[in-house]
Amino acid sequence: MKRLPIHEDVTGEEIDKSVKQELQSLPKTLAEDVARNLVMIARLLDEDPETAYGHAKVALRLASRVGAVREAAGFAAYATGRYQEALAEFRAARRMTGTHELWPIMADCERGMGRPERALEMAGAPEVQRLDKAGQVEMRLVAAGARRDMGQAEAAVVTLQSPELGSSAVHPWTARLRYAYADALLEVGREDEARDWFAKALEADHDGTTDASDRLARLDGIEFTDALDEDAEDEDRDEDAHYEEARYQDDDEADDEGAEFQHGDVDEDSVPTAFGGEEYYDEDDDEYETPEDRPQPRERAEDAERDVKPADDLAEPVVDATDD
């Protein structure tokens, strides 16, 4: 079985106590190996989901009958867009542990597979009532997303209106809820209200989980460019190199043409053209002027400008979604 590199500082002791208890059913060495792969999944899930998925496959081969392993594998598959696989793993974990916490993300997997109607059915299931407040908010977000998937933008706005949205208290899910509401308002053309809610989302987003600041800037007509954008710098360097190459080619051609003229191989009538310019005609003299008398072509100037760059039962009655 192919193993993946484990970071030297990972011991396996970093996992949650509840997960550690689940691994006690395994031989000690095996449990330690599984634990270290689980830590790698959690560590890489956001920055390198494909590698995290690889660690999940290793953990599955080692301990597929452990609920925590199936759950971790589900999150790794979900992060890489493998929604069908993720749903299967979440269902297995739920059967093994009896937890209801995975219900919202299971519904979102249905959305990912193009089945928003199924997600709405799950949003109206009895399992939702067994979720804690965070889980219910998560389910509401999934349901609103399903409404939008189905082209029901106004229904999505109504679905997100709730006491949690109107509360001035800040919880881990507050920024995302306000952001989703602002985005839904913007879709139905209520731009002024959307701007207010993006601002409220930004106030609650202490960890930078949303791009509310960027959305606000765009609504205000402000555009930002990353000054450290390596791609942009590479393009600029390529343009400069191309210009320098063209300039040297022009100089070489001019030298060659000048030499040709000095050897008497060019007709005197075509002297202006031989030096890369256009023929200059003086109407008064009715004949060509000498190169000294004709206007000189403009010098090219380098352009220094850079591009700066939810189900029916969740659709609660509309409440006044304002700060208390």
PDB file of all heavy atoms in Angstrom, residues 167-198:
ATOM      1  N   SER A 167     -30.266  39.037  14.551  1.00  0.00           N
ATOM      2  CA  SER A 167     -29.593  39.222  15.828  1.00  0.00           C
ATOM      3  C   SER A 167     -28.306  40.030  15.666  1.00  0.00           C
ATOM      4  O   SER A 167     -27.589  39.897  14.674  1.00  0.00           O
ATOM      5  CB  SER A 167     -29.267  37.860  16.443  1.00  0.00           C
ATOM      6  OG  SER A 167     -28.500  38.016  17.620  1.00  0.00           O
ATOM      7  N   SER A 168     -28.021  40.862  16.669  1.00  0.00           N
ATOM      8  CA  SER A 168     -26.784  41.642  16.650  1.00  0.00           C
ATOM      9  C   SER A 168     -25.611  40.861  17.234  1.00  0.00           C
ATOM     10  O   SER A 168     -24.468  41.302  17.139  1.00  0.00           O
ATOM     11  CB  SER A 168     -26.966  42.950  17.433  1.00  0.00           C
ATOM     12  OG  SER A 168     -27.325  42.661  18.784  1.00  0.00           O
ATOM     13  N   ALA A 169     -25.890  39.708  17.839  1.00  0.00           N
ATOM     14  CA  ALA A 169     -24.826  38.875  18.388  1.00  0.00           C
ATOM     15  C   ALA A 169     -24.010  38.260  17.256  1.00  0.00           C
ATOM     16  O   ALA A 169     -24.537  37.977  16.179  1.00  0.00           O
ATOM     17  CB  ALA A 169     -25.429  37.782  19.265  1.00  0.00           C
ATOM     18  N   VAL A 170     -22.726  38.071  17.522  1.00  0.00           N
ATOM     19  CA  VAL A 170     -21.837  37.510  16.517  1.00  0.00           C
ATOM     20  C   VAL A 170     -21.423  36.103  16.910  1.00  0.00           C
ATOM     21  O   VAL A 170     -20.897  35.878  18.001  1.00  0.00           O
ATOM     22  CB  VAL A 170     -20.582  38.389  16.335  1.00  0.00           C
ATOM     23  CG1 VAL A 170     -19.610  37.739  15.360  1.00  0.00           C
ATOM     24  CG2 VAL A 170     -20.979  39.773  15.830  1.00  0.00           C
ATOM     25  N   HIS A 171     -21.701  35.151  16.029  1.00  0.00           N
ATOM     26  CA  HIS A 171     -21.344  33.750  16.214  1.00  0.00           C
ATOM     27  C   HIS A 171     -20.431  33.328  15.066  1.00  0.00           C
ATOM     28  O   HIS A 171     -20.255  34.074  14.089  1.00  0.00           O
ATOM     29  CB  HIS A 171     -22.607  32.889  16.241  1.00  0.00           C
ATOM     30  CG  HIS A 171     -23.582  33.274  17.306  1.00  0.00           C
ATOM     31  ND1 HIS A 171     -23.450  32.867  18.612  1.00  0.00           N
ATOM     32  CD2 HIS A 171     -24.709  34.055  17.263  1.00  0.00           C
ATOM     33  CE1 HIS A 171     -24.446  33.361  19.339  1.00  0.00           C
ATOM     34  NE2 HIS A 171     -25.226  34.090  18.544  1.00  0.00           N
ATOM     35  N   PRO A 172     -19.849  32.137  15.128  1.00  0.00           N
ATOM     36  CA  PRO A 172     -18.973  31.691  14.042  1.00  0.00           C
ATOM     37  C   PRO A 172     -19.643  31.666  12.678  1.00  0.00           C
ATOM     38  O   PRO A 172     -18.966  31.785  11.650  1.00  0.00           O
ATOM     39  CB  PRO A 172     -18.561  30.282  14.484  1.00  0.00           C
ATOM     40  CG  PRO A 172     -18.629  30.323  15.979  1.00  0.00           C
ATOM     41  CD  PRO A 172     -19.791  31.208  16.282  1.00  0.00           C
ATOM     42  N   TRP A 173     -20.953  31.511  12.645  1.00  0.00           N
ATOM     43  CA  TRP A 173     -21.657  31.437  11.374  1.00  0.00           C
ATOM     44  C   TRP A 173     -22.282  32.757  10.947  1.00  0.00           C
ATOM     45  O   TRP A 173     -22.866  32.859   9.869  1.00  0.00           O
ATOM     46  CB  TRP A 173     -22.780  30.382  11.454  1.00  0.00           C
ATOM     47  CG  TRP A 173     -23.491  30.345  12.783  1.00  0.00           C
ATOM     48  CD1 TRP A 173     -23.272  29.470  13.794  1.00  0.00           C
ATOM     49  CD2 TRP A 173     -24.528  31.229  13.232  1.00  0.00           C
ATOM     50  NE1 TRP A 173     -24.109  29.732  14.855  1.00  0.00           N
ATOM     51  CE2 TRP A 173     -24.890  30.809  14.533  1.00  0.00           C
ATOM     52  CE3 TRP A 173     -25.189  32.322  12.682  1.00  0.00           C
ATOM     53  CZ2 TRP A 173     -25.882  31.450  15.283  1.00  0.00           C
ATOM     54  CZ3 TRP A 173     -26.173  32.968  13.423  1.00  0.00           C
ATOM     55  CH2 TRP A 173     -26.493  32.532  14.708  1.00  0.00           C
ATOM     56  N   THR A 174     -22.184  33.795  11.785  1.00  0.00           N
ATOM     57  CA  THR A 174     -22.872  35.066  11.507  1.00  0.00           C
ATOM     58  C   THR A 174     -22.419  35.702  10.197  1.00  0.00           C
ATOM     59  O   THR A 174     -23.250  36.145   9.383  1.00  0.00           O
ATOM     60  CB  THR A 174     -22.660  36.055  12.666  1.00  0.00           C
ATOM     61  OG1 THR A 174     -23.180  35.495  13.879  1.00  0.00           O
ATOM     62  CG2 THR A 174     -23.363  37.371  12.391  1.00  0.00           C
ATOM     63  N   ALA A 175     -21.119  35.776   9.982  1.00  0.00           N
ATOM     64  CA  ALA A 175     -20.612  36.432   8.769  1.00  0.00           C
ATOM     65  C   ALA A 175     -21.105  35.729   7.516  1.00  0.00           C
ATOM     66  O   ALA A 175     -21.518  36.374   6.546  1.00  0.00           O
ATOM     67  CB  ALA A 175     -19.079  36.466   8.796  1.00  0.00           C
ATOM     68  N   ARG A 176     -21.092  34.407   7.515  1.00  0.00           N
ATOM     69  CA  ARG A 176     -21.518  33.663   6.334  1.00  0.00           C
ATOM     70  C   ARG A 176     -23.015  33.826   6.091  1.00  0.00           C
ATOM     71  O   ARG A 176     -23.457  33.899   4.936  1.00  0.00           O
ATOM     72  CB  ARG A 176     -21.167  32.187   6.493  1.00  0.00           C
ATOM     73  CG  ARG A 176     -19.656  31.935   6.487  1.00  0.00           C
ATOM     74  CD  ARG A 176     -19.305  30.491   6.745  1.00  0.00           C
ATOM     75  NE  ARG A 176     -19.952  29.604   5.790  1.00  0.00           N
ATOM     76  CZ  ARG A 176     -20.807  28.649   6.120  1.00  0.00           C
ATOM     77  NH1 ARG A 176     -21.123  28.448   7.399  1.00  0.00           N
ATOM     78  NH2 ARG A 176     -21.339  27.890   5.197  1.00  0.00           N
ATOM     79  N   LEU A 177     -23.804  33.876   7.146  1.00  0.00           N
ATOM     80  CA  LEU A 177     -25.244  34.054   6.989  1.00  0.00           C
ATOM     81  C   LEU A 177     -25.553  35.433   6.416  1.00  0.00           C
ATOM     82  O   LEU A 177     -26.363  35.575   5.491  1.00  0.00           O
ATOM     83  CB  LEU A 177     -25.935  33.864   8.336  1.00  0.00           C
ATOM     84  CG  LEU A 177     -27.465  34.038   8.345  1.00  0.00           C
ATOM     85  CD1 LEU A 177     -28.127  33.035   7.417  1.00  0.00           C
ATOM     86  CD2 LEU A 177     -28.003  33.887   9.773  1.00  0.00           C
ATOM     87  N   ARG A 178     -24.925  36.455   6.953  1.00  0.00           N
ATOM     88  CA  ARG A 178     -25.150  37.813   6.446  1.00  0.00           C
ATOM     89  C   ARG A 178     -24.653  37.943   5.006  1.00  0.00           C
ATOM     90  O   ARG A 178     -25.289  38.614   4.183  1.00  0.00           O
ATOM     91  CB  ARG A 178     -24.426  38.823   7.347  1.00  0.00           C
ATOM     92  CG  ARG A 178     -25.015  38.928   8.755  1.00  0.00           C
ATOM     93  CD  ARG A 178     -24.207  39.900   9.620  1.00  0.00           C
ATOM     94  NE  ARG A 178     -24.760  40.024  10.957  1.00  0.00           N
ATOM     95  CZ  ARG A 178     -24.240  40.781  11.926  1.00  0.00           C
ATOM     96  NH1 ARG A 178     -23.126  41.480  11.670  1.00  0.00           N
ATOM     97  NH2 ARG A 178     -24.809  40.851  13.109  1.00  0.00           N
ATOM     98  N   TYR A 179     -23.527  37.316   4.720  1.00  0.00           N
ATOM     99  CA  TYR A 179     -22.981  37.369   3.362  1.00  0.00           C
ATOM    100  C   TYR A 179     -23.942  36.702   2.373  1.00  0.00           C
ATOM    101  O   TYR A 179     -24.197  37.241   1.286  1.00  0.00           O
ATOM    102  CB  TYR A 179     -21.624  36.668   3.328  1.00  0.00           C
ATOM    103  CG  TYR A 179     -20.942  36.703   1.987  1.00  0.00           C
ATOM    104  CD1 TYR A 179     -20.016  37.699   1.674  1.00  0.00           C
ATOM    105  CD2 TYR A 179     -21.212  35.736   1.016  1.00  0.00           C
ATOM    106  CE1 TYR A 179     -19.388  37.728   0.439  1.00  0.00           C
ATOM    107  CE2 TYR A 179     -20.591  35.761  -0.219  1.00  0.00           C
ATOM    108  CZ  TYR A 179     -19.677  36.756  -0.501  1.00  0.00           C
ATOM    109  OH  TYR A 179     -19.070  36.789  -1.727  1.00  0.00           O
ATOM    110  N   ALA A 180     -24.464  35.534   2.731  1.00  0.00           N
ATOM    111  CA  ALA A 180     -25.392  34.829   1.843  1.00  0.00           C
ATOM    112  C   ALA A 180     -26.645  35.659   1.608  1.00  0.00           C
ATOM    113  O   ALA A 180     -27.184  35.702   0.493  1.00  0.00           O
ATOM    114  CB  ALA A 180     -25.766  33.472   2.447  1.00  0.00           C
ATOM    115  N   TYR A 181     -27.110  36.347   2.646  1.00  0.00           N
ATOM    116  CA  TYR A 181     -28.306  37.187   2.516  1.00  0.00           C
ATOM    117  C   TYR A 181     -28.014  38.370   1.584  1.00  0.00           C
ATOM    118  O   TYR A 181     -28.831  38.704   0.708  1.00  0.00           O
ATOM    119  CB  TYR A 181     -28.735  37.680   3.887  1.00  0.00           C
ATOM    120  CG  TYR A 181     -30.059  38.413   3.891  1.00  0.00           C
ATOM    121  CD1 TYR A 181     -31.224  37.794   3.432  1.00  0.00           C
ATOM    122  CD2 TYR A 181     -30.152  39.726   4.357  1.00  0.00           C
ATOM    123  CE1 TYR A 181     -32.443  38.470   3.444  1.00  0.00           C
ATOM    124  CE2 TYR A 181     -31.355  40.396   4.368  1.00  0.00           C
ATOM    125  CZ  TYR A 181     -32.500  39.770   3.904  1.00  0.00           C
ATOM    126  OH  TYR A 181     -33.712  40.428   3.907  1.00  0.00           O
ATOM    127  N   ALA A 182     -26.849  38.987   1.751  1.00  0.00           N
ATOM    128  CA  ALA A 182     -26.472  40.101   0.877  1.00  0.00           C
ATOM    129  C   ALA A 182     -26.386  39.641  -0.572  1.00  0.00           C
ATOM    130  O   ALA A 182     -26.854  40.331  -1.486  1.00  0.00           O
ATOM    131  CB  ALA A 182     -25.134  40.684   1.332  1.00  0.00           C
ATOM    132  N   ASP A 183     -25.804  38.485  -0.800  1.00  0.00           N
ATOM    133  CA  ASP A 183     -25.651  37.957  -2.153  1.00  0.00           C
ATOM    134  C   ASP A 183     -27.017  37.666  -2.771  1.00  0.00           C
ATOM    135  O   ASP A 183     -27.243  37.910  -3.964  1.00  0.00           O
ATOM    136  CB  ASP A 183     -24.795  36.698  -2.113  1.00  0.00           C
ATOM    137  CG  ASP A 183     -24.189  36.364  -3.466  1.00  0.00           C
ATOM    138  OD1 ASP A 183     -23.887  37.307  -4.233  1.00  0.00           O
ATOM    139  OD2 ASP A 183     -24.017  35.173  -3.755  1.00  0.00           O
ATOM    140  N   ALA A 184     -27.928  37.130  -1.963  1.00  0.00           N
ATOM    141  CA  ALA A 184     -29.274  36.849  -2.461  1.00  0.00           C
ATOM    142  C   ALA A 184     -30.011  38.137  -2.797  1.00  0.00           C
ATOM    143  O   ALA A 184     -30.732  38.218  -3.799  1.00  0.00           O
ATOM    144  CB  ALA A 184     -30.049  36.034  -1.430  1.00  0.00           C
ATOM    145  N   LEU A 185     -29.849  39.158  -1.957  1.00  0.00           N
ATOM    146  CA  LEU A 185     -30.480  40.457  -2.231  1.00  0.00           C
ATOM    147  C   LEU A 185     -29.954  41.056  -3.532  1.00  0.00           C
ATOM    148  O   LEU A 185     -30.713  41.628  -4.322  1.00  0.00           O
ATOM    149  CB  LEU A 185     -30.205  41.422  -1.075  1.00  0.00           C
ATOM    150  CG  LEU A 185     -30.959  41.176   0.231  1.00  0.00           C
ATOM    151  CD1 LEU A 185     -30.406  42.068   1.328  1.00  0.00           C
ATOM    152  CD2 LEU A 185     -32.458  41.412   0.056  1.00  0.00           C
ATOM    153  N   LEU A 186     -28.663  40.907  -3.742  1.00  0.00           N
ATOM    154  CA  LEU A 186     -28.067  41.460  -4.962  1.00  0.00           C
ATOM    155  C   LEU A 186     -28.620  40.764  -6.198  1.00  0.00           C
ATOM    156  O   LEU A 186     -28.835  41.401  -7.234  1.00  0.00           O
ATOM    157  CB  LEU A 186     -26.546  41.294  -4.896  1.00  0.00           C
ATOM    158  CG  LEU A 186     -25.725  42.069  -5.921  1.00  0.00           C
ATOM    159  CD1 LEU A 186     -25.950  43.562  -5.798  1.00  0.00           C
ATOM    160  CD2 LEU A 186     -24.250  41.748  -5.760  1.00  0.00           C
ATOM    161  N   GLU A 187     -28.873  39.467  -6.095  1.00  0.00           N
ATOM    162  CA  GLU A 187     -29.389  38.732  -7.247  1.00  0.00           C
ATOM    163  C   GLU A 187     -30.780  39.202  -7.653  1.00  0.00           C
ATOM    164  O   GLU A 187     -31.135  39.164  -8.836  1.00  0.00           O
ATOM    165  CB  GLU A 187     -29.405  37.234  -6.956  1.00  0.00           C
ATOM    166  CG  GLU A 187     -29.815  36.402  -8.154  1.00  0.00           C
ATOM    167  CD  GLU A 187     -29.690  34.914  -7.919  1.00  0.00           C
ATOM    168  OE1 GLU A 187     -29.248  34.513  -6.822  1.00  0.00           O
ATOM    169  OE2 GLU A 187     -30.031  34.139  -8.831  1.00  0.00           O
ATOM    170  N   VAL A 188     -31.579  39.660  -6.674  1.00  0.00           N
ATOM    171  CA  VAL A 188     -32.940  40.115  -7.006  1.00  0.00           C
ATOM    172  C   VAL A 188     -32.986  41.620  -7.246  1.00  0.00           C
ATOM    173  O   VAL A 188     -34.055  42.215  -7.339  1.00  0.00           O
ATOM    174  CB  VAL A 188     -33.937  39.729  -5.889  1.00  0.00           C
ATOM    175  CG1 VAL A 188     -34.017  38.223  -5.759  1.00  0.00           C
ATOM    176  CG2 VAL A 188     -33.578  40.366  -4.549  1.00  0.00           C
ATOM    177  N   GLY A 189     -31.809  42.255  -7.340  1.00  0.00           N
ATOM    178  CA  GLY A 189     -31.767  43.658  -7.710  1.00  0.00           C
ATOM    179  C   GLY A 189     -31.875  44.651  -6.576  1.00  0.00           C
ATOM    180  O   GLY A 189     -32.004  45.854  -6.826  1.00  0.00           O
ATOM    181  N   ARG A 190     -31.781  44.208  -5.339  1.00  0.00           N
ATOM    182  CA  ARG A 190     -31.882  45.123  -4.194  1.00  0.00           C
ATOM    183  C   ARG A 190     -30.463  45.521  -3.758  1.00  0.00           C
ATOM    184  O   ARG A 190     -29.973  45.147  -2.711  1.00  0.00           O
ATOM    185  CB  ARG A 190     -32.671  44.455  -3.065  1.00  0.00           C
ATOM    186  CG  ARG A 190     -34.123  44.196  -3.463  1.00  0.00           C
ATOM    187  CD  ARG A 190     -34.797  43.126  -2.635  1.00  0.00           C
ATOM    188  NE  ARG A 190     -34.928  43.466  -1.226  1.00  0.00           N
ATOM    189  CZ  ARG A 190     -35.575  42.704  -0.336  1.00  0.00           C
ATOM    190  NH1 ARG A 190     -36.153  41.561  -0.732  1.00  0.00           N
ATOM    191  NH2 ARG A 190     -35.648  43.064   0.935  1.00  0.00           N
ATOM    192  N   GLU A 191     -29.833  46.312  -4.590  1.00  0.00           N
ATOM    193  CA  GLU A 191     -28.411  46.593  -4.441  1.00  0.00           C
ATOM    194  C   GLU A 191     -28.083  47.381  -3.181  1.00  0.00           C
ATOM    195  O   GLU A 191     -27.091  47.098  -2.504  1.00  0.00           O
ATOM    196  CB  GLU A 191     -27.913  47.349  -5.676  1.00  0.00           C
ATOM    197  CG  GLU A 191     -26.416  47.591  -5.671  1.00  0.00           C
ATOM    198  CD  GLU A 191     -25.919  48.170  -6.987  1.00  0.00           C
ATOM    199  OE1 GLU A 191     -26.321  47.662  -8.045  1.00  0.00           O
ATOM    200  OE2 GLU A 191     -25.131  49.139  -6.922  1.00  0.00           O
ATOM    201  N   ASP A 192     -28.896  48.385  -2.849  1.00  0.00           N
ATOM    202  CA  ASP A 192     -28.610  49.195  -1.659  1.00  0.00           C
ATOM    203  C   ASP A 192     -28.667  48.351  -0.390  1.00  0.00           C
ATOM    204  O   ASP A 192     -27.807  48.468   0.486  1.00  0.00           O
ATOM    205  CB  ASP A 192     -29.603  50.357  -1.552  1.00  0.00           C
ATOM    206  CG  ASP A 192     -29.404  51.397  -2.652  1.00  0.00           C
ATOM    207  OD1 ASP A 192     -28.291  51.418  -3.231  1.00  0.00           O
ATOM    208  OD2 ASP A 192     -30.342  52.159  -2.935  1.00  0.00           O
ATOM    209  N   GLU A 193     -29.706  47.483  -0.296  1.00  0.00           N
ATOM    210  CA  GLU A 193     -29.803  46.605   0.862  1.00  0.00           C
ATOM    211  C   GLU A 193     -28.653  45.604   0.881  1.00  0.00           C
ATOM    212  O   GLU A 193     -28.102  45.276   1.946  1.00  0.00           O
ATOM    213  CB  GLU A 193     -31.134  45.857   0.848  1.00  0.00           C
ATOM    214  CG  GLU A 193     -32.354  46.740   1.023  1.00  0.00           C
ATOM    215  CD  GLU A 193     -33.636  45.941   0.877  1.00  0.00           C
ATOM    216  OE1 GLU A 193     -33.976  45.206   1.825  1.00  0.00           O
ATOM    217  OE2 GLU A 193     -34.280  46.048  -0.195  1.00  0.00           O
ATOM    218  N   ALA A 194     -28.289  45.128  -0.299  1.00  0.00           N
ATOM    219  CA  ALA A 194     -27.189  44.172  -0.378  1.00  0.00           C
ATOM    220  C   ALA A 194     -25.902  44.797   0.145  1.00  0.00           C
ATOM    221  O   ALA A 194     -25.136  44.157   0.884  1.00  0.00           O
ATOM    222  CB  ALA A 194     -27.005  43.707  -1.820  1.00  0.00           C
ATOM    223  N   ARG A 195     -25.668  46.055  -0.220  1.00  0.00           N
ATOM    224  CA  ARG A 195     -24.453  46.716   0.242  1.00  0.00           C
ATOM    225  C   ARG A 195     -24.430  46.800   1.760  1.00  0.00           C
ATOM    226  O   ARG A 195     -23.397  46.577   2.398  1.00  0.00           O
ATOM    227  CB  ARG A 195     -24.349  48.120  -0.362  1.00  0.00           C
ATOM    228  CG  ARG A 195     -22.991  48.739  -0.146  1.00  0.00           C
ATOM    229  CD  ARG A 195     -22.943  50.241  -0.357  1.00  0.00           C
ATOM    230  NE  ARG A 195     -21.586  50.721  -0.144  1.00  0.00           N
ATOM    231  CZ  ARG A 195     -21.025  50.850   1.047  1.00  0.00           C
ATOM    232  NH1 ARG A 195     -21.716  50.496   2.146  1.00  0.00           N
ATOM    233  NH2 ARG A 195     -19.781  51.276   1.178  1.00  0.00           N
ATOM    234  N   ASP A 196     -25.576  47.140   2.372  1.00  0.00           N
ATOM    235  CA  ASP A 196     -25.646  47.228   3.835  1.00  0.00           C
ATOM    236  C   ASP A 196     -25.316  45.887   4.484  1.00  0.00           C
ATOM    237  O   ASP A 196     -24.608  45.827   5.491  1.00  0.00           O
ATOM    238  CB  ASP A 196     -27.044  47.681   4.262  1.00  0.00           C
ATOM    239  CG  ASP A 196     -27.326  49.132   3.883  1.00  0.00           C
ATOM    240  OD1 ASP A 196     -26.350  49.877   3.638  1.00  0.00           O
ATOM    241  OD2 ASP A 196     -28.507  49.505   3.824  1.00  0.00           O
ATOM    242  N   TRP A 197     -25.816  44.802   3.896  1.00  0.00           N
ATOM    243  CA  TRP A 197     -25.592  43.487   4.492  1.00  0.00           C
ATOM    244  C   TRP A 197     -24.189  42.968   4.226  1.00  0.00           C
ATOM    245  O   TRP A 197     -23.623  42.228   5.042  1.00  0.00           O
ATOM    246  CB  TRP A 197     -26.660  42.499   4.023  1.00  0.00           C
ATOM    247  CG  TRP A 197     -27.934  42.697   4.792  1.00  0.00           C
ATOM    248  CD1 TRP A 197     -29.030  43.382   4.381  1.00  0.00           C
ATOM    249  CD2 TRP A 197     -28.194  42.234   6.111  1.00  0.00           C
ATOM    250  NE1 TRP A 197     -29.987  43.373   5.372  1.00  0.00           N
ATOM    251  CE2 TRP A 197     -29.497  42.675   6.447  1.00  0.00           C
ATOM    252  CE3 TRP A 197     -27.473  41.503   7.045  1.00  0.00           C
ATOM    253  CZ2 TRP A 197     -30.084  42.402   7.679  1.00  0.00           C
ATOM    254  CZ3 TRP A 197     -28.053  41.226   8.281  1.00  0.00           C
ATOM    255  CH2 TRP A 197     -29.332  41.664   8.591  1.00  0.00           C
ATOM    256  N   PHE A 198     -23.582  43.349   3.113  1.00  0.00           N
ATOM    257  CA  PHE A 198     -22.169  43.013   2.922  1.00  0.00           C
ATOM    258  C   PHE A 198     -21.325  43.720   3.990  1.00  0.00           C
ATOM    259  O   PHE A 198     -20.357  43.145   4.508  1.00  0.00           O
ATOM    260  CB  PHE A 198     -21.695  43.427   1.525  1.00  0.00           C
ATOM    261  CG  PHE A 198     -22.009  42.433   0.446  1.00  0.00           C
ATOM    262  CD1 PHE A 198     -22.664  42.824  -0.718  1.00  0.00           C
ATOM    263  CD2 PHE A 198     -21.643  41.098   0.590  1.00  0.00           C
ATOM    264  CE1 PHE A 198     -22.949  41.900  -1.720  1.00  0.00           C
ATOM    265  CE2 PHE A 198     -21.922  40.170  -0.409  1.00  0.00           C
ATOM    266  CZ  PHE A 198     -22.588  40.573  -1.561  1.00  0.00           C
TER     267      PHE A 198
END
